[in-house]
Amino acid sequence: MRHFDTSPFYGLSLSERRFGDLLRNKKREDYVLSSKVGRLLTPSAEPLENSWHWADHSPFHYKYDYSASGTRRSIEDTLHRIGVASLDIVYIHDLSPQNSDMGDDWLKYFDQAVKGAIPELTKMRDEGIIKGWGFGVNTPHAIYKALDMSDPDICLLALQYSILDHKQALDKTFPMLDKRGVSAVIGAPLNGGFLAGRNRFNYSPKIPGPMQQKFNAISDIASKHGIDIKTAALQFAEAPSTVSSIIPGARTAEQIKANVASMKVTIPSEFWSELKSKQLIAENAPIPT
């Protein structure tokens, strides 16, 4: 594994500082590093009330800022926290109506990004501070709007392509990205842990009935073919040609080892044929070869 994805938001700087501890003695050319912009961190003596259950997070608050100056400052802060001279990829983060902080105001922030973050990231790409930029979002609204007015290199699609839920990505998002030569990184290919056995779906404790039914049906077929649904889900998410990488978001060393092992399993073609014949995955879904 040589692709590491972080963000100022994760642990309110804690993730980036941990990556610095990991990567500071590694050769820069030996790994791909991505982080994000959109939130500026500010120090505070008062803990943030909604800390997203991050353990031991840093004593910071944040404010949204997709301006040019805010974007450059965010990247400079990230470089200092990690201790590197450049980033490979920078994602404009969480510009989505699904972001509960924003709701309908996401369009206001999108307009700010159009005038600020997008041209600034393009400029920083030309300067060599970053190699590429795109959007890191849980819904594709911002990507659809931005493709007509800018030239992103890569997008992080979280919660948008999994063995359980992939129709919109296959029918609309991937073709739009392919047309413009933009690749995709798939975040949360296990639906926030659900496909690995956690009792939650896309970071919510409420599991939609149809998703549970599909999970049960695919699991039964997987067992019949001697594999498990998590292995099938990871390989399924990486199969499309649009996809350059998947980031399952492992929390422990054991999960990382299990994910690596899953990618080495040979899945019989009959398994995928049965899923398609029973309409559990889309007929046009690419499958591992």
Side-chain angles (χ1 to χ4, degrees):
M1 294 180 298
R2 291 293 182 270
H3 176 197
F4 304 103
D5 178 70
T6 183
S7 165
F9 186 48
Y10 302 157
L12 301 175
S13 83
L14 181 61
S15 174
E16 289 187 331
R17 289 189 286 110
R18 284 177 171 168
F19 270 111
D21 290 340
L22 170 71
L23 298 173
R24 63 186 176 188
N25 294 320
K26 304 292 189 295
K27 293 181 180 179
R28 185 62 187 84
E29 63 271 20
D30 284 351
Y31 59 89
V32 174
L33 179 62
S34 58
S35 193
K36 304 176 179 73
V37 296
R39 294 177 177 90
L40 288 178
L41 302 182
T42 55
S44 175
E46 299 295 328
L48 191 65
E49 289 186 8
N50 187 354
S51 60
W52 287 267
H53 307 290
W54 289 317
D56 302 320
H57 62 83
S58 303
F60 293 120
H61 287 200
Y62 66 87
K63 63 177 181 178
Y64 286 103
D65 192 330
Y66 296 92
S67 68
S69 60
T71 295
R72 186 169 287 266
R73 177 187 159 186
S74 180
I75 291 174
E76 289 173 348
D77 287 349
T78 288
L79 295 175
H80 288 148
R81 281 191 289 264
I82 301 179
V84 293
S86 65
L87 296 172
D88 295 296
I89 303 166
V90 172
Y91 297 113
I92 299 173
H93 199 195
D94 280 347
L95 262 180
S96 167
Q98 188 255 8
N99 182 346
S100 58
D101 275 352
M102 291 183 180
D104 291 340
D105 284 343
W106 82 273
L107 288 169
K108 178 186 72 175
Y109 289 111
F110 181 85
D111 289 341
Q112 186 184 49
V114 168
K115 298 172 184 175
I118 289 176
E120 191 68 14
L121 289 171
T122 301
K123 182 179 179 181
M124 296 182 83
R125 182 178 61 191
D126 295 341
E127 293 171 355
I129 298 173
I130 66 175
K131 292 181 180 178
W133 68 270
F135 289 83
V137 286
N138 291 352
T139 61
H141 301 73
I143 295 172
Y144 295 163
K145 289 174 67 67
L147 285 174
D148 291 331
M149 60 181 71
S150 61
D151 62 337
D153 304 283
I154 187 168
C155 290
L156 169 51
L157 309 179
L159 311 179
Q160 297 174 60
Y161 194 77
S162 76
I163 199 169
L164 297 179
D165 186 10
H166 48 266
K167 182 174 175 55
Q168 183 177 17
L170 283 176
D171 293 347
K172 185 173 181 180
T173 309
F174 285 178
M176 290 180 70
L177 296 178
D178 291 341
K179 183 178 179 180
R180 293 162 176 82
V182 179
S183 63
V185 172
I186 301 302
L190 301 177
N191 291 112
F194 178 61
L195 287 163
R198 295 199 72 184
N199 192 29
R200 66 176 189 175
F201 182 84
N202 290 0
Y203 314 128
S204 169
K206 185 177 181 180
I207 301 172
M211 293 294 101
Q212 184 66 64
Q213 293 169 13
K214 188 180 285 191
F215 174 90
N216 294 340
I218 295 175
S219 291
D220 289 343
I221 296 171
S223 295
K224 184 174 74 172
H225 289 278
I227 58 174
D228 63 89
I229 190 171
K230 188 202 74 174
T231 291
L234 290 175
Q235 293 196 25
F236 177 87
E238 197 185 41
S241 58
T242 312
V243 175
S244 59
S245 180
I246 62 173
I247 47 175
R251 296 183 300 124
T252 66
E254 289 73 21
Q255 288 178 354
I256 291 172
K257 292 175 182 176
N259 289 344
V260 171
S262 286
M263 300 308 293
K264 297 179 180 179
V265 173
T266 299
I267 299 177
S269 60
E270 292 79 9
F271 167 74
W272 302 112
S273 298
E274 187 169 352
L275 292 190
K276 290 190 175 185
S277 68
K278 293 183 177 178
Q279 298 183 332
L280 291 169
I281 61 173
E283 182 62 35
N284 62 333
I287 57 174
T289 57

